[in-house]
Amino acid sequence: MTRPKTKILVDGGDPQETRWVKELLGFVDGQTTNPSLIAKNPHIRDLIASGHKLSKREEMDEYKKIVQTISPLAGDAGVSIEVFSDERTLATEMFDQGREMFSWIPNAYIKYPCTAEGLRAAQMSVKQGMRVNITLCFSQQQAAAVYAATKGTKQPAYVSPFVGRLDDIGQNGMDVVRNIKQMFLNGDGHVLVLAASIRSLEHLLYCFVLETELVTVPAKVLELWANTNFPMPDKQFQYKSSGNPIPYEELDLERPWETFDIQHELTRKGIEKFVADYRATLSRPA
Ligand code: E4P
């Protein structure tokens, strides 16, 4: 297999699965997790099925155990751990969770949502030398805000544009990835693009063409890649999408982050879904 320049992360919440992917590929550069994936972890599912719902503390402790098992399996792209937040969670509350999560493993990236409070939490975090991954990104303006909010970070910050969820609403999700990559050519390189919500081999291969620094991929797509003998895109590769094209915007990365339009319906819906999934595991939903 020709190892791609793009780092490959496993998008999941089950250490067994990560171990299996590592055997399949021979390497795993990193891992991303989120509240929905943690709720699907087999051990958590067994607990819920046996009638035991978790307290908030137990949920954090289970999440900690999961990422501590995954951490040594991951390469230098680290393990992304997402804070539990809803639409009312303040930046300081996210930051407090993030700080605790960052102490769990030596290779943590803390995931904050791409909202005003999430970006404030990210700003506080990078000032403390923490690594961050800004998730639920659906637009170039949001990525520009991530760039501006994390300027000065000593460690690379990740931004995660969600491809599949844009495709689901009839847009060409890969356009956002391509536009962000193009925009960052004018930047200082402190934000790396981590393509997320990957659903197909075509998504994966186009990420290789665009040379996204990282891509997070569900095990079943990696299994397909392995079973087809690890194809790589050739010069003729053309990415085909039936979604509406998303045009490139000329944006000045030196603007303050608050001046970018960071509202996106899918960010709001994404937070709602994460909240619904983790609340379903709790004994006393907030
Ligand atoms: C990873 O960081 C994201 O949370 C994940 O890729 C989302 O994927 P989905 O849209 O398939 O839920």
Side-chain angles (χ1 to χ4, degrees):
M1 184 229 302
T2 325
R3 192 149 165 188
K5 273 198 203 156
T6 300
K7 290 188 176 163
I8 297 186
L9 291 77
V10 180
D11 198 13
D14 175 10
Q16 260 314 103
E17 181 186 70
T18 307
R19 209 167 279 124
W20 177 78
V21 171
K22 193 168 180 174
E23 273 164 32
L24 191 70
L25 306 188
F27 70 94
V28 155
D29 289 310
Q31 173 96 20
T32 54
T33 63
N34 68 39
S36 303
L37 294 167
I38 294 305
K40 278 192 210 148
N41 169 281
H43 173 62
I44 306 255
R45 280 196 152 172
D46 286 348
L47 282 176
I48 306 303
S50 70
H52 178 86
K53 289 214 171 181
L54 304 166
S55 66
K56 281 193 174 174
R57 188 67 255 167
E58 283 174 320
E59 176 105 18
M60 284 288 266
D61 290 345
E62 290 297 335
Y63 199 176
K64 181 177 175 179
K65 277 190 243 161
I66 293 168
V67 296
Q68 286 185 333
T69 317
I70 292 173
S71 169
L73 301 169
D76 60 4
V79 180
S80 289
I81 313 172
E82 186 156 347
V83 296
F84 296 102
S85 68
D86 61 24
E87 73 288 351
R88 295 186 313 260
T89 312
L90 297 174
T92 46
E93 297 171 288
M94 289 190 214
F95 173 68
D96 286 346
Q97 277 188 59
R99 201 167 35 184
E100 179 185 338
M101 289 165 160
F102 195 72
S103 73
W104 290 349
I105 50 174
N107 51 353
Y109 279 76
I110 301 305
K111 276 172 105 177
Y112 294 113
C114 198
T115 59
E117 293 303 311
L119 288 174
R120 279 188 198 108
Q123 239 176 350
M124 294 180 215
S125 302
V126 299
K127 282 194 185 127
Q128 301 285 322
M130 287 161 57
R131 288 173 295 270
V132 297
N133 173 359
I134 309 306
T135 190
L136 291 167
C137 171
F138 294 95
S139 74
Q140 200 191 319
Q141 294 249 0
Q142 286 180 316
V146 171
Y147 179 95
T150 56
K151 222 159 174 239
T153 180
K154 294 203 177 53
Q155 320 238 26
Y158 296 166
V159 63
S160 294
F162 275 39
V163 176
R165 295 192 197 185
L166 281 166
D167 288 359
D168 291 344
I169 59 161
Q171 302 201 353
N172 179 356
M174 284 304 299
D175 274 353
V176 169
V177 177
R178 192 202 54 208
N179 294 343
I180 296 170
K181 279 291 293 175
Q182 187 181 333
M183 172 173 72
F184 284 172
L185 291 176
N186 304 321
D188 60 12
H190 79 272
V191 184
L192 307 182
V193 177
L194 195 180
S197 189
I198 295 297
R199 307 267 171 82
S200 67
L201 210 47
E202 288 69 31
H203 283 157
L204 178 65
L205 297 188
Y206 194 33
C207 286
F208 296 162
V209 172
L210 294 176
E211 298 190 351
T212 64
E213 289 81 7
L214 314 113
V215 61
T216 186
V217 192
K220 64 176 187 310
V221 176
L222 291 171
E223 183 181 18
L224 182 63
W225 188 47
N227 287 347
T228 47
N229 207 16
F230 303 104
M232 292 297 286
D234 57 18
K235 289 211 168 63
Q236 274 74 48
F237 178 86
Q238 284 204 330
Y239 178 72
K240 293 194 188 70
S241 161
S242 53
N244 289 328
I246 302 173
Y248 181 74
E249 285 179 79
E250 214 53 68
L251 296 174
D252 176 5
L253 290 171
E254 297 310 314
R255 276 165 46 187
W257 70 263
E258 295 90 342
T259 65
F260 293 104
D261 178 10
I262 58 166
Q263 299 306 317
H264 201 288
E265 182 58 7
L266 291 182
T267 304
R268 195 187 58 71
K269 283 194 175 150
I271 293 171
E272 269 176 12
K273 171 87 173 88
F274 287 151
V275 170
D277 286 343
Y278 81 78
R279 281 203 184 138
T281 67
L282 294 178
S283 52
R284 273 199 309 129

